[in-house]
Amino acid sequence: MKPFRIGFRTVKTAVGVGLAIWFAHLMKLDYYTSAGILTILSIQTTKRKSIHAIYTRIIASFVVLILSFIFFNALGYYASVLGLLVLILLPILVMLKVTPGFVSSSVILLHIFNEQHFTWSLLGNEFLIMLIGFGVGFLVNMQMPDIEPELNVYRIEIEKNYSIIFTEIAKYLRDGDTTWDGKELLQATEAVNKGKSLAYQDVENHITRKENLFYRYFDVREQQLEIIERILPKITNLPTIVTQSHMIADFMDELASNVHSGNTALKYRRKLASVKETFQTMPLPRSHEEFVAMGSLYQFIEEMDHYLAIKQNFKGLAIEEGKPVFD
């Protein structure tokens, strides 16, 4: 059983419903409680989704008003006419791509059907209910919690796990240590997935921002994780430990100590290029095992260069007093 918990969205919904019904009642509107229903339908998980929800519901409501005027005045206020109207309504909403507005428009449709008379007074009443319901829903849903601290938690978790993974790679390259159980790889995968999902939510909560550095950051880490998953078999399947393995181990140890949100990729790409150049000056492999090991190490270098190149194209997050701020 999940623990009892009242989330921020629940609080917003409760406040919004109360305010909408209070305003509608204050204005002495008929069916004033329906303003609360429209508010509930307007509150979504992100600002962009809320705006789209309100848009679809407004369009659907206007379609219902037009169809109601035509159908009920022409055919009368009968249940069969109501059913026919709904039959026509749904395909129109699908055609206009505002299907989510069906429920809210049905509320207005039933008001008109209950009144059994289409008047300007009724039309004004429904417009005001829509204005209050959708307006309060919009204003309430513009209040979103700050999720950057939570994004920062996932960022730190990823960087910590990447650092451990690189340290374990260095241990294996240096002395063939195989005691690592690989749990950090699973933890990093989970942190990347959760962080990217949360960052996307942050994107949806900024209407005008064209770029979200946190989302880009987690996208970069996801691409790097794919490379890490590819290089691990190349290292663990080395047939022998050669002298060059120690050089790469030293590089990985240094890289492990400098996994962060800034952008120092160019510096380490140059170091990696220097390691590769040193390889070329060293004696050729003397056995088949050494030849295979050297081939795997060259592939490893190419993959790590790709790992760093991905980060180089990202301008990075600057860290100030424990909180990420954008360069």
Side-chain angles (χ1 to χ4, degrees), residues 100-156:
F102 175 71
V103 175
S104 57
S105 63
S106 297
V107 172
I108 295 172
L109 173 62
L110 293 177
H111 291 175
I112 297 172
F113 183 75
N114 286 336
E115 288 294 319
Q116 298 283 301
H117 195 51
F118 203 101
T119 63
W120 287 109
S121 175
L122 176 61
L123 187 63
N125 185 84
E126 296 307 307
F127 274 135
L128 287 173
I129 287 177
M130 288 166 56
L131 178 63
I132 293 172
F134 296 141
V136 170
F138 174 78
L139 292 175
V140 169
N141 215 52
M142 288 302 102
Q143 308 304 314
M144 289 290 178
D146 181 13
I147 62 175
E148 284 193 8
E150 191 174 354
L151 289 170
N152 199 31
V153 169
Y154 289 124
R155 177 191 64 80
I156 293 172

Side-chain angles (χ1 to χ4, degrees), residues 30-303:
D30 295 330
Y31 308 107
Y32 64 89
T33 56
S34 295
I37 297 174
L38 298 184
T39 296
I40 291 173
L41 296 173
S42 302
I43 296 177
Q44 303 291 319
T45 54
T46 67
K47 292 180 182 179
R48 288 186 183 180
K49 286 182 179 179
S50 180
I51 291 173
H52 183 262
I54 292 171
Y55 161 76
T56 60
R57 284 153 179 77
I58 289 176
I59 297 299
S61 298
F62 275 106
V63 171
V64 157
L65 289 172
I66 294 170
L67 291 179
S68 297
F69 179 79
I70 295 173
F71 274 70
F72 291 139
N73 283 342
L75 303 175
Y77 290 83
Y78 303 105
S80 57
V81 176
L82 178 65
L84 179 62
L85 196 157
V86 172
L87 184 66
I88 301 298
L89 174 63
L90 275 172
I92 293 177
L93 297 185
V94 171
M95 182 181 66
L96 296 175
K97 298 181 180 180
V98 292
T99 311
F102 175 71
V103 175
S104 57
S105 63
S106 297
V107 172
I108 295 172
L109 173 62
L110 293 177
H111 291 175
I112 297 172
F113 183 75
N114 286 336
E115 288 294 319
Q116 298 283 301
H117 195 51
F118 203 101
T119 63
W120 287 109
S121 175
L122 176 61
L123 187 63
N125 185 84
E126 296 307 307
F127 274 135
L128 287 173
I129 287 177
M130 288 166 56
L131 178 63
I132 293 172
F134 296 141
V136 170
F138 174 78
L139 292 175
V140 169
N141 215 52
M142 288 302 102
Q143 308 304 314
M144 289 290 178
D146 181 13
I147 62 175
E148 284 193 8
E150 191 174 354
L151 289 170
N152 199 31
V153 169
Y154 289 124
R155 177 191 64 80
I156 293 172
E157 179 72 13
I158 291 168
E159 291 169 6
K160 181 189 73 174
N161 284 309
Y162 279 24
S163 180
I164 294 173
I165 291 169
F166 292 159
T167 299
E168 293 297 333
I169 289 175
K171 286 181 181 179
Y172 185 85
L173 286 171
R174 189 170 285 114
D175 52 26
D177 187 342
T178 59
T179 58
W180 181 48
D181 59 7
K183 66 178 181 180
E184 285 78 15
L185 188 62
L186 298 177
Q187 292 171 355
T189 302
E190 183 178 6
V192 166
N193 291 337
K194 289 183 177 180
K196 190 173 182 180
S197 176
L198 190 63
Y200 180 75
Q201 182 178 324
D202 191 49
V203 171
E204 291 284 295
N205 280 330
H206 291 85
I207 310 301
T208 58
R209 183 190 291 177
K210 295 183 179 180
E211 181 183 24
N212 184 286
L213 288 183
F214 264 118
Y215 183 82
R216 178 75 181 114
Y217 170 82
F218 287 112
D219 186 55
V220 165
R221 291 304 190 192
E222 184 178 47
Q223 293 177 56
Q224 290 180 320
L225 185 62
E226 293 175 359
I227 294 175
I228 292 173
E229 290 173 340
R230 285 203 305 267
I231 63 176
L232 285 174
K234 297 184 189 323
I235 296 303
T236 56
N237 291 327
L238 287 180
T240 184
I241 302 299
V242 294
T243 304
Q244 291 85 343
S245 301
H246 294 271
M247 296 176 60
I248 296 181
D250 292 339
F251 171 81
M252 295 304 293
D253 272 333
E254 185 177 354
L255 189 61
S257 301
N258 292 277
V259 178
H260 53 71
S261 305
N263 191 346
T264 55
L266 180 59
K267 169 185 174 182
Y268 288 100
R269 289 190 75 187
R270 287 172 177 167
K271 285 180 177 289
L272 197 59
S274 177
V275 170
K276 189 174 181 179
E277 288 174 4
T278 304
F279 274 19
Q280 294 172 351
T281 64
M282 299 178 73
L284 294 173
R286 292 172 296 179
S287 66
H288 176 72
E289 289 76 12
E290 288 185 0
F291 180 81
V292 173
M294 284 299 300
S296 295
L297 291 176
Y298 270 110
Q299 290 178 19
F300 178 84
I301 288 176
E302 293 300 325
E303 290 283 15

